[in-house]
Amino acid sequence: MANQADFVKDVPKDEHDVAYLTHEYEYHWAMIILHGENYWTSQPNLYPPPQAYFQWVKNYMHANNIQDVLEEVSETKYQKL
């Protein structure tokens, strides 16, 4: 399913394409692949991402020695909702 998603098939061509893809969490793109556009309106229980998602990302990054330069933003982005 992921390989067939339009936003995965096309390589970003410029900084606007990169900004479009990176302004959302991977969770968002996964939900679009699984449930389609506007999944947050048809299945509001999927938005915002569950707290377990943020813990999973943190654990994954730690286990793979990946530094998150936007960690503060990542953890607080959805708390305002």
Side-chain angles (χ1 to χ4, degrees):
M1 290 175 77
N3 288 335
Q4 298 306 311
D6 289 336
F7 59 87
V8 174
K9 288 186 207 177
D10 297 330
V11 175
K13 295 171 187 59
D14 56 31
E15 65 274 4
H16 298 288
D17 289 350
V18 172
Y20 172 75
L21 291 172
T22 60
H23 82 280
E24 293 288 354
Y25 294 116
E26 293 85 353
Y27 175 91
H28 171 74
W29 299 113
M31 293 301 105
I32 286 178
I33 290 170
L34 292 172
H35 303 288
E37 290 287 338
N38 297 317
Y39 69 90
W40 54 90
T41 57
S42 63
Q43 298 188 50
N45 59 312
L46 298 176
Y47 187 85
Q51 285 301 313
Y53 164 78
F54 296 107
Q55 188 60 50
W56 176 85
V57 170
K58 189 177 281 190
N59 292 345
Y60 180 87
M61 293 179 77
H62 178 72
N64 292 282
N65 199 27
I66 299 170
Q67 182 180 4
D68 184 1
V69 296
L70 300 175
E71 186 172 342
E72 285 185 37
V73 174
S74 298
E75 292 179 352
T76 60
K77 183 175 182 178
Y78 289 102
Q79 291 178 1
K80 296 178 183 177
L81 297 175

